[in-house]
Amino acid sequence: MEISPRVGISVIAPGVVLLKGSLDESMQVWLAQFALEAGSDEKTGFWLTMPDGSRVLNSDKGRGRMYDTCSKFPRSDKIEPLCLTLVDRARVEDTHMPQMQPTHLLLLYYATMDGMHWHTDSDANDGLNDHPIVSISVGNSSDFGIKVLGKPEMYIRLESGDAIIWGGPNRMLPHCVKEVFPGTSPSYLRPYLDNARLNFTFRDAPNILAE
């Protein structure tokens, strides 16, 4: 699994690496199709069917959520190597970034401009280690906030095909999605996403595999 040769890599802090333009158009389209296929599952997907037959997103009015082991998703043989390729590329630039083995995928569907509040990935299902969190954006752009220890909070514009990875000394990095910008999804994704944002977050959490 290869990433785009035009990727721009920035080490923001030890253990925090931004990969701009890491995924080319074809990979973004594939990921959009992958997410919508998984998200359409009646039992585990993004939407719930109400008694009156209407469909609503399962997390809140503007967001759908799926979380499971990578192996439970279709084509895990392709998404796991993608995650590992991104981590390997980040580790070339940042020696503080540990290795990882993706065990779980959090897949989010943002249908509105609403983002997500400040938080750290500190629960048991986020992994009890310093191994990287790998976050990939597809579709609408967003402002992603981070608080690196000893520095003022900063916001990064994440566009479709970008990835940001944090681990090692910054594994407990506070972060948020400040805002999602409607109508910014690339034209080649419009047949699939129209006006939405997808976020793929990979975690290394072997501690909950037996649950």
Side-chain angles (χ1 to χ4, degrees):
M1 182 68 61
E2 296 184 0
I3 61 177
S4 171
R6 296 189 297 273
V7 61
I9 302 179
S10 302
V11 179
I12 298 171
V16 184
V17 178
L18 173 65
L19 298 95
K20 289 290 294 180
S22 57
L23 305 181
D24 63 19
E25 292 184 11
S26 62
M27 180 53 68
Q28 293 173 53
V29 168
W30 187 89
L31 284 172
Q33 293 173 322
F34 165 91
L36 294 177
E37 177 186 350
S40 65
D41 187 280
E42 286 292 333
K43 294 182 178 179
T44 62
F46 295 133
W47 288 274
L48 298 173
T49 301
M50 306 305 288
D52 64 0
S54 63
R55 300 184 77 204
V56 297
L57 290 167
N58 65 6
S59 183
D60 58 39
K61 66 178 181 179
R63 191 169 69 240
R65 183 183 189 275
M66 299 177 65
Y67 182 78
D68 211 332
T69 57
C70 292
S71 61
K72 295 288 183 64
F73 286 87
R75 296 305 308 273
S76 62
D77 61 317
K78 191 168 183 177
I79 57 171
E80 290 180 38
L82 171 61
C83 172
L84 291 172
T85 299
L86 291 168
V87 172
D88 287 345
R89 189 66 182 88
R91 295 183 74 241
V92 170
E93 306 296 330
D94 182 5
T95 58
H96 295 89
M97 189 71 73
Q99 292 181 325
M100 76 171 299
Q101 179 58 49
T103 61
H104 291 76
L105 172 61
L106 171 64
L107 185 51
L108 296 174
Y109 179 96
Y110 290 83
T112 68
M113 294 181 292
D114 297 335
M116 184 179 292
H117 57 81
W118 288 100
H119 64 284
T120 59
D121 293 337
S122 55
D123 293 336
N125 65 359
D126 298 321
L128 301 178
N129 50 52
D130 69 348
H131 299 175
I133 302 292
V134 179
S135 177
I136 300 171
S137 294
V138 174
N140 281 339
S141 301
S142 66
D143 276 352
F144 187 76
I146 60 173
K147 295 180 180 178
V148 176
L149 185 65
K151 296 183 178 181
E153 66 186 55
M154 66 179 295
Y155 293 91
I156 301 163
R157 180 65 53 89
L158 294 180
E159 299 169 305
S160 190
D162 292 348
I164 186 166
I165 302 175
W166 61 95
N170 271 299
R171 167 62 181 78
M172 294 300 171
L173 181 74
H175 56 283
C176 74
V177 178
K178 182 180 181 182
E179 184 179 1
V180 178
F181 299 97
T184 54
S185 182
S187 59
Y188 50 83
L189 291 177
R190 298 287 171 80
Y192 313 97
L193 284 181
D194 188 24
N195 193 24
R197 174 180 183 257
L198 295 169
N199 180 245
F200 299 74
T201 303
F202 294 89
R203 295 186 168 95
D204 187 348
N207 52 291
I208 61 169
L209 280 177
E211 296 182 6

